[in-house]
């Protein structure tokens, strides 16, 4: 995760959000059935379509 931190911070993920996520991953009571990946998707608006939401 530390490798992705710079990119995530550049995309608006806060320091607090990252720290809470790291704490969750270290919690022995937290179980993941797959690899802990973060994924998002979206699209840029076409010209004249308004602001991206």
């Amino acid at each position: 995760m530390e490798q992705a931190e710079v990119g995530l911070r550049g995309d608006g993920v806060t320091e607090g959000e990252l720290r809470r996520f790291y704490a969750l991953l270290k919690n022995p009571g937290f179980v993941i059935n797959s690899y802990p990946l973060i994924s998002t998707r979206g699209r840029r608006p076409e010209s004249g379509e308004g602001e991206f939401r």
Side-chain angles (χ1 to χ4, degrees):
M1 283 303 306
E2 288 82 11
Q3 293 174 352
E5 188 170 330
V6 172
L8 291 170
R9 295 290 304 275
D11 288 336
V13 177
T14 68
E15 179 75 20
E17 291 170 328
L18 286 172
R19 297 298 147 226
R20 287 191 301 273
F21 182 68
Y22 293 149
L24 183 62
L25 292 178
K26 291 178 183 179
N27 180 341
F30 180 68
V31 178
I32 300 175
N33 290 329
S34 65
Y35 297 106
L37 301 175
I38 298 173
S39 177
T40 61
R41 74 178 205 189
R43 65 180 183 88
R44 294 185 187 273
E46 293 183 20
S47 180
E49 193 174 314
E51 292 187 24
F52 182 70
R53 296 178 187 201

